[in-house]
Amino acid sequence: GVQQELRRIRYGAHSFSILGLTEEDLADATVESIGAVWQRQSLKLDLDQAPDEDRPHAADCLSQLTRAHRAVAAMVKASLPATRALHRLLVQFDRSGGILSPQQAREILGAGAEPEALRDLRLQEILVLTGDKVAMPDVSRAMQILEECIAALRRTGTPPPPGRRPVATTRGLGLRDLKTPGAVVSARPTTHTLDVPDSGAAIVLLSDGAGDLAQEELSAAVKA
């Protein structure tokens, strides 16, 4: 319905997702066919059918849809193969959920050469699209993703010693904007190995907010 379309456009990560374009749509796309998709999607945004709470966003969504149409139409006019390569890269990153694993980075970059060489190859596939400024937000996003692929492949974990089981903790320092394209904050931990006897001893990880607790309170919380 209209509400679903508004939500899809509002949260679209790039022009292709905003227009709802698939790989099949771009197989033999033309400027005219992209215009037809834009017109079809615009007709779905019937404001009379939109819930009252969503109507304030409708005008913005129409503007987003129009900008996406202009961007993709300019890309297709410049080079359909480059447009398809850009779409493929952005969609692959969307499927990763925003945090790339080394395996996902390899899938985006491809195989058969060093990661930096593969990154440069992917860049060459899409650089022709930089001639029109309306396409630059999507191209710039792709460039950043390629750098994140390199960063993902450089990350290394610290395996536990043989016969030891690591303690499961929540993911810390997970704000991607602080780590890309350059690592302002590092999530690499300092690892210490402690032997915990089986006689009921425990390791307690405390945040700064626990500093005001008395020893008795901490002991009671652990025993609980």
Side-chain angles (χ1 to χ4, degrees):
V2 175
Q3 188 175 23
Q4 184 177 0
E5 287 297 310
L6 290 172
R7 188 176 294 110
R8 181 184 59 77
I9 293 170
R10 285 179 64 193
Y11 298 108
H14 45 79
S15 297
F16 300 106
S17 61
I18 290 172
L19 280 174
L21 290 169
T22 65
E23 188 174 356
E24 290 74 20
D25 293 328
L26 293 173
D28 54 358
T30 63
V31 173
E32 290 74 20
S33 68
I34 298 301
V37 171
W38 166 70
Q39 187 174 29
R40 186 168 64 248
Q41 296 288 12
S42 298
L43 291 174
K44 292 181 181 180
L45 300 182
D46 186 349
L47 300 187
D48 293 333
Q49 298 182 26
D52 292 340
E53 64 271 17
D54 289 326
R55 290 186 183 182
H57 305 296
D60 290 337
C61 287
L62 283 170
S63 297
Q64 283 182 263
L65 201 62
T66 299
R67 287 194 297 270
H69 163 240
R70 290 173 179 168
V72 177
M75 295 179 203
V76 170
K77 184 177 181 180
S79 170
L80 180 57
T83 303
R84 295 177 62 185
L86 177 62
H87 172 267
R88 183 167 57 252
L89 192 158
L90 294 174
V91 170
Q92 283 179 303
F93 182 74
D94 291 344
R95 292 171 182 162
S96 76
I99 302 295
L100 286 171
S101 68
Q103 180 181 354
Q104 290 166 331
R106 275 291 183 188
E107 290 174 357
I108 291 175
L109 292 176
E114 290 298 315
E116 287 77 6
L118 292 168
R119 173 200 59 195
D120 294 343
L121 183 61
R122 299 286 87 81
L123 280 173
Q124 288 300 320
E125 291 176 345
I126 62 175
L127 280 180
V128 67
L129 302 178
T130 59
D132 198 314
K133 64 180 182 180
V134 296
M136 278 308 300
D138 294 309
V139 176
S140 297
R141 178 176 174 80
M143 291 177 175
Q144 182 181 14
I145 289 170
L146 291 172
E147 293 304 321
E148 290 189 30
C149 288
I150 299 297
L153 292 172
R154 287 175 179 165
R155 287 197 297 266
T156 57
T158 304
R164 305 290 177 86
R165 182 173 60 85
V167 177
T169 61
T170 58
R171 177 179 296 175
L173 300 176
L175 184 56
R176 183 164 58 92
D177 292 344
L178 293 179
K179 295 187 289 185
T180 58
V184 178
V185 177
S186 173
R188 297 183 180 89
T190 299
T191 304
H192 299 282
T193 301
L194 301 174
D195 289 313
V196 180
D198 295 331
S199 58
I203 296 177
V204 181
L205 304 179
L206 301 176
S207 65
D208 293 339
D212 296 331
L213 296 176
Q215 184 68 39
E216 293 77 12
E217 294 175 294
L218 292 174
S219 299
V222 171
K223 292 176 181 178

